[in-house]
Amino acid sequence: MQTDMSMKRLIVLGTGEAVCQRRHNTSFALDNTEQYFLIDGGGGHDILTIMHDAGIDWDRLHHAFLSHEHTDHLLGMVWVVRYVAELINWNRYEGDFTLYTHAVAADKLLTVCRLLLKPAQAVLIGKRIHVELVEDGQTVEILGNRFTFFDIHSTKAPQFGFRMETPSGLKLVFLGDEPFSESSKKYMEPCDWLLSEAYCLYSERDYYNPYQLHHSTVRESCEMAERFHAKNLVLWHTEDETTYDRRKELYTAEGKQYFSGNLFVPEDLEVIRLTGGND
């Protein structure tokens, strides 16, 4: 009997925006109970601590995705590449590691790695550590799940999101860390799970100026999710200043006014069970 390789859990590694001080930068992993798929690396060395605290076994991590070049997503991935290289050199990592990203982010990542990694680490890139380029609209099977990567058409730096379809029929959409773009409309429905940034409360928009930062508020992200009939919405990539101790409560209260599905405002290291499809 064939094993169902559907992604079953979303492991939230970090939920903060770029210059957060009390949370980790937004990154997460998907888990099919056998292997992990890491999405973005956060802003630095703390990705190693987060992975440890989340109980993620590095020998079960062979795939990752980097959405774009910004420091709060790329620099942690440099540490991921470095640590995998170290494990390989210590004979403590079986198999290869593959990172999916687009051409612009790949160039930045590889440049940093070649400049800063030890020769014994850098030499593994292209041998056992692979960077696979994806293009807008390209579908790739990863760990038995179909991922369609798409350009979100950011005006700041090229950035990709993805639509995942599992063997069990679950549909998940990751929009990156910017507001929804109409160019991504064809990837939105049907949608069991929608992952979206929400920089701040709508009531605090004048204080945070999210639009100048190419971000949105809880209200707007929830209105967008309602428009596309998402069943479950996860909000992250948020401020950690004014609502730090009450973020879940306050974001949920505002969001429920505009979204009728299941709303999740996770903290760092929360684990969310993915339901939908034939589950």
Side-chain angles (χ1 to χ4, degrees):
M1 184 173 66
Q2 188 174 9
T3 302
D4 181 10
M5 297 297 289
S6 298
M7 295 299 186
K8 298 175 176 62
R9 298 192 305 166
L10 188 159
I11 303 170
V12 181
L13 301 176
T15 61
E17 49 86 32
V19 294
C20 58
Q21 299 182 59
R22 293 184 285 182
R23 291 189 172 91
H24 297 294
N25 298 129
T26 299
S27 59
F28 62 102
L30 296 168
D31 174 18
N32 67 4
T33 72
E34 294 185 8
Q35 294 284 329
Y36 297 100
F37 181 43
L38 174 66
I39 293 86
D40 289 336
H45 170 270
D46 63 344
I47 186 66
L48 304 185
T49 302
I50 302 164
M51 296 275 282
H52 175 272
D53 292 345
I56 293 178
D57 180 356
W58 285 85
D59 200 47
R60 293 171 56 203
L61 176 68
H62 294 275
H63 300 82
F65 170 66
L66 176 62
S67 62
H68 64 298
E69 66 187 54
H70 289 165
T71 56
D72 55 316
H73 299 260
L74 182 144
L75 292 183
M77 199 62 78
V78 174
W79 281 95
V80 170
V81 171
R82 172 182 173 163
Y83 192 56
V84 169
E86 289 281 69
L87 291 173
I88 291 172
N89 286 328
W90 295 335
N91 293 316
R92 289 164 48 191
Y93 188 90
E94 296 184 4
D96 291 1
F97 176 80
T98 301
L99 186 147
Y100 300 87
T101 190
H102 52 87
V104 175
D107 181 64
K108 299 290 178 65
L109 175 69
L110 291 173
T111 296
V112 174
C113 287
R114 286 167 181 152
L115 286 172
L116 300 182
L117 296 190
K118 300 174 185 177
Q121 298 163 347
V123 74
L124 293 170
I125 298 174
K127 295 182 178 179
R128 290 186 59 186
I129 297 175
H130 311 282
V131 177
E132 294 287 339
L133 300 184
V134 295
E135 298 181 351
D136 184 25
Q138 181 178 353
T139 297
V140 180
E141 183 173 306
I142 301 172
L143 298 175
N145 297 260
R146 287 172 53 86
F147 288 81
T148 301
F149 298 98
F150 57 87
D151 190 338
I152 71 168
H153 295 282
S154 169
T155 59
K156 294 189 294 184
Q159 181 173 171
F160 276 36
F162 61 75
R163 176 181 177 84
M164 178 186 77
E165 299 185 28
T166 74
S168 65
L170 180 145
K171 280 83 173 175
L172 177 148
V173 177
F174 168 57
L175 290 174
D177 73 355
E178 292 195 14
F180 164 77
S181 167
E182 290 295 331
S183 65
S184 304
K185 182 177 178 180
K186 63 182 177 180
Y187 301 106
M188 297 296 289
E189 293 185 286
C191 179
D192 295 300
W193 290 86
L194 180 60
L195 316 180
S196 174
E197 59 84 36
Y199 191 85
C200 65
L201 293 169
Y202 184 76
S203 60
E204 295 188 330
R205 65 194 182 283
D206 291 336
Y207 179 77
Y208 284 107
N209 296 312
Y211 314 120
Q212 294 181 13
L213 300 171
H214 299 268
H215 290 306
S216 60
T217 68
V218 172
R219 172 179 174 173
E220 288 143 352
S221 293
C222 287
E223 289 177 332
M224 176 269 299
E226 187 73 10
R227 170 187 170 188
F228 291 106
H229 310 100
K231 296 177 182 177
N232 302 277
L233 172 63
V234 179
L235 298 181
W236 49 24
H237 204 276
T238 75
E239 51 78 26
D240 66 351
E241 182 184 350
T242 54
T243 66
Y244 177 72
D245 294 325
R246 299 180 61 203
R247 184 184 62 173
K248 187 185 292 284
E249 171 192 349
L250 295 174
Y251 279 38
T252 300
E254 179 168 289
K256 280 297 186 180
Q257 298 177 58
Y258 307 99
F259 178 62
S260 59
N262 300 314
L263 180 59
F264 296 81
V265 185
E267 295 293 346
D268 295 5
L269 296 176
E270 280 193 31
V271 177
I272 300 173
R273 182 174 178 270
L274 298 175
T275 58
N278 298 324
D279 188 11

